[in-house]
Amino acid sequence: MKKTIFLTIAFIFFGLNSKAQTQYYTGQCDGDAIEANISWKTNDAIIGSYYFMSNSSRVYKLSGTNFVEGEIEIVESFNGKRTGNGTLIKTLKKGKIVWSGNISNVDGTKSFIYLTRSR
């Protein structure tokens, strides 16, 4: 009986901690409409992706960390190559969660990204 209880508790603990919480966003990157998802891992890591509504086949991968509450250090890549990195800051606007900030692209340019979702 003790073994069954222990295994049940262990299964629940590892099951809850191994799953990422995924959140879906809409927004803009340099004024162009995008859709994004971000998965929050239990170790303060994040993964996700976004694509431009005008070209949904071109998907940018996101990875990074959320060590500081309200701040994501993010790396953007396409086809396995890093295309940029930056910091997104969380704010609340009109009852919505907003992550926004600049991505420094590898070609030296900057892109402003703005992601929002309902609370």
Side-chain angles (χ1 to χ4, degrees):
M1 181 68 166
K2 287 182 184 180
K3 186 176 182 180
T4 303
I5 292 172
F6 174 78
L7 290 174
T8 302
I9 292 171
F11 176 77
I12 291 169
F13 176 78
F14 289 115
L16 291 174
N17 284 324
S18 65
K19 291 184 179 179
Q21 179 186 6
T22 302
Q23 296 171 334
Y24 299 92
Y25 296 84
T26 58
Q28 295 185 351
C29 182
D30 286 343
D32 293 321
I34 60 173
E35 287 191 359
N37 68 73
I38 298 175
S39 296
W40 308 88
K41 303 288 192 171
T42 56
N43 61 355
D44 293 325
I46 63 106
I47 59 170
S49 63
Y50 77 91
Y51 62 89
F52 290 91
M53 299 294 292
S54 62
N55 185 1
S56 61
S57 65
R58 187 173 174 93
V59 178
Y60 290 86
K61 300 290 183 184
L62 302 173
S63 62
T65 57
N66 183 215
F67 292 129
V68 177
E69 180 68 28
E71 186 175 301
I72 300 174
E73 296 297 327
I74 204 156
V75 174
E76 173 195 86
S77 61
F78 180 73
N79 281 342
K81 294 183 180 180
R82 186 175 70 82
T83 54
N85 63 285
T87 302
L88 301 182
I89 303 296
K90 180 181 177 182
T91 56
L92 299 175
K93 292 184 181 178
K94 297 181 182 178
K96 295 190 176 224
I97 295 172
V98 175
W99 289 96
S100 62
N102 287 305
I103 302 284
S104 296
N105 301 310
V106 294
D107 66 3
T109 63
K110 289 188 185 238
S111 296
F112 181 74
I113 192 166
Y114 179 92
L115 303 172
T116 185
R117 72 172 180 85
S118 296
R119 289 179 79 180

